[in-house]
C-alpha cells in the first residue's frame, strides 16, 4: 500500500497522533509531509509506505492558511495556548493593519518562535523554553507571498488568509505584525487550507476512517507529481530497474517512470543524456 491521504487534522490533536491512526489502519509505515501545531487544524498530507520518500519534495511547497490574530496580547508561545505575558494593549484599526501588510510580504528574514522544533546545540527550542533557559534562534529566510485581511472577528481579533512558502511560522507573522503596529499580537486560531497540491476539498478526518474504507481515500502517488512520464521498452526497463543507466535524448530533469505494463514505478533523472532510476515508489 502506497500513496497519500489528506487528513483534515483535528484541533487539539498532534500531527503524530493523526499519523499513528493512519499507520494502524493501513498497517504500513507512514509519515506526515509537514507538521501542524496541536492547536491548528486542516490539511495534513500523510504519506503511506514508499511515498514517504518524497518528504523533501513536499517540504518546500507553498501553503495557505486562515489565521486569527489577537492584538494587544502577548504570550511566551506567540499563541493563546501559552503563558500570557501582556494583555489589554493597543488594538489597531483595519486600515492600520492594511498599511503594514505589504511590508510583511516577500522574501523576509523571520525569527522562529522559541517554542518550536528548531534546534539549539542539539536541543529543541521548545525543550529549552520549557526548562526556562535563555537562548536566541537565528532568523531564517522565508517567502510570504500574500497576506489578506479577511474580517474583524471581535473587538481585538482579526482573521487573515496567508499564502507562504514552506518553513514559515504563522505565529511569527502575528508577532511581527504586532510590532509594526506598535503593539503585540498572538495567533488565536489556525487552519491550513492548502499544502502544495493537497487541500481541504480532498481531505478526510481520521475519525471517519476505518480499515474497510481507508483504501478509498488513498491518492495515487503518481497523480500528485508534476513531472513528465517515461515508458521504457522492455530492454530499457531491464537495465533501468536493475540500477543501470541508459542514453536518452530527453532534457535534464526528473521524470515519472513506469513499468512496461503501464503501472507506476517511481522517479528517474536525466543528467547529460544519461537516464537512471532515482527513487522506487511503487
Amino acid at each position: 500500500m502506497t500513496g497519500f491521504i489528506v487528513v483534515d487534522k483535528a484541533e487539539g490533536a498532534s500531527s503524530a497522533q493523526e499519523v499513528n491512526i493512519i499507520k494502524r489502519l493501513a498497517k504500513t509505515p507512514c509519515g506526515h509531509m509537514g507538521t501542524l501545531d496541536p492547536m491548528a487544524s486542516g490539511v495534513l498530507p500523510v504519506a503511506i509506505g514508499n511515498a514517504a520518500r518524497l518528504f523533501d519534495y513536499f517540504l518546500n511547497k507553498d501553503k495557505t492558511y486562515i489565521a486569527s490574530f489577537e492584538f494587544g496580547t502577548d504570550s511566551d508561545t506567540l499563541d493563546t495556548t501559552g503563558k500570557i505575558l501582556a494583555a489589554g494593549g493597543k488594538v489597531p484599526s483595519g486600515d492600520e493593519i492594511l498599511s503594514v501588510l505589504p511590508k510583511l510580504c516577500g522574501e523576509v528574514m523571520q525569527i522562529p518562535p522559541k517554542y518550536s522544533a528548531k534546534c539549539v546545540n542539539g536541543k529543541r527550542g521548545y525543550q529549552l523554553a520549557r526548562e526556562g533557559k535563555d537562548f536566541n534562534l537565528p532568523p531564517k529566510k522565508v517567502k510570504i507571498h500574500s497576506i489578506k485581511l479577511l474580517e474583524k472577528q471581535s473587538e481585538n481579533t482579526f482573521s487573515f488568509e496567508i499564502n507562504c512558502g514552506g518553513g514559515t511560522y504563522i505565529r511569527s507573522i502575528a508577532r511581527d505584525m504586532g510590532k509594526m503596529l506598535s503593539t503585540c499580537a498572538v495567533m488565536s486560531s489556525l487552519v491550513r487550507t492548502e499544502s502544495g497540491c493537497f487541500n481541504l476539498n480532498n481531505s478526510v478526518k481520521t475519525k471517519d476512517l476505518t480499515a474497510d474504507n481507508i483504501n478509498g481515500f488513498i491518492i495515487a502517488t503518481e497523480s500528485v507529481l508534476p513531472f513528465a512520464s517515461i515508458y521504457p521498452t522492455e530492454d530499457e526497463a531491464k537495465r533501468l530497474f536493475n540500477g543501470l543507466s541508459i542514453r536518452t535524448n530527453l532534457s535534464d530533469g526528473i521524470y515519472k517512470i513506469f513499468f512496461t505494463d503501464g503501472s507506476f514505478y517511481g522517479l528517474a533523472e536525466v543528467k547529460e543524456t544519461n537516464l537512471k532510476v532515482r527513487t522506487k515508489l511503487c
Side-chain angles (χ1 to χ4, degrees), residues 155-167:
E155 183 180 345
N156 62 353
T157 303
F158 292 80
S159 62
F160 302 86
E161 181 183 78
I162 301 170
N163 181 254
C164 57

Side-chain angles (χ1 to χ4, degrees), residues 162-178:
I162 301 170
N163 181 254
C164 57
T168 305
Y169 285 94
I170 307 301
R171 288 176 287 151
S172 292
I173 295 177
R175 174 201 60 209
D176 297 342
M177 190 183 296

Side-chain angles (χ1 to χ4, degrees), residues 130-194:
R130 288 169 184 166
E131 293 170 3
K133 301 286 180 62
D134 185 29
F135 66 98
N136 292 306
L137 290 171
K140 56 171 289 189
K141 185 182 290 186
V142 299
K143 289 184 179 180
I144 301 174
H145 303 299
S146 64
I147 305 175
K148 298 178 183 177
L149 175 60
L150 298 180
E151 63 176 339
K152 185 173 184 178
Q153 296 178 303
S154 67
E155 183 180 345
N156 62 353
T157 303
F158 292 80
S159 62
F160 302 86
E161 181 183 78
I162 301 170
N163 181 254
C164 57
T168 305
Y169 285 94
I170 307 301
R171 288 176 287 151
S172 292
I173 295 177
R175 174 201 60 209
D176 297 342
M177 190 183 296
K179 286 182 179 178
M180 284 186 178
L181 293 163
S182 300
T183 184
C184 49
V186 294
M187 186 179 77
S188 55
S189 70
L190 184 68
V191 180
R192 185 156 67 193
T193 58
E194 294 181 354

Side-chain angles (χ1 to χ4, degrees), residues 1-10 14-33 42 44-49 51-52 202-219:
M1 186 182 291
T2 188
F4 294 92
I5 288 184
V6 187
V7 171
D8 181 0
K9 190 187 87 65
S14 73
S15 298
Q17 287 172 328
E18 297 283 52
V19 170
N20 285 337
I21 292 173
I22 303 295
K23 189 184 299 184
R24 175 173 52 81
L25 294 174
K27 297 180 180 178
T28 191
C30 301
H32 59 70
M33 301 283 107
L44 181 71
V46 176
I48 300 174
N202 56 16
S203 69
V204 60
K205 294 183 181 295
T206 51
K207 67 179 181 63
D208 297 324
L209 288 173
T210 66
D212 293 328
N213 71 12
I214 189 171
N215 282 328
F217 293 97
I218 296 177
I219 299 169

Side-chain angles (χ1 to χ4, degrees), residues 217-229:
F217 293 97
I218 296 177
I219 299 169
T221 309
E222 63 269 30
S223 69
V224 300
L225 295 170
F227 304 120
S229 300

Side-chain angles (χ1 to χ4, degrees), residues 103-128:
K103 302 172 187 176
L104 289 159
C105 296
E107 278 197 351
V108 300
M109 296 303 292
Q110 184 185 73
I111 299 175
K114 288 191 174 182
Y115 279 85
S116 69
K118 289 294 179 183
C119 281
V120 179
N121 297 324
K123 291 195 86 170
R124 301 290 188 183
Y126 62 79
Q127 293 174 316
L128 295 172

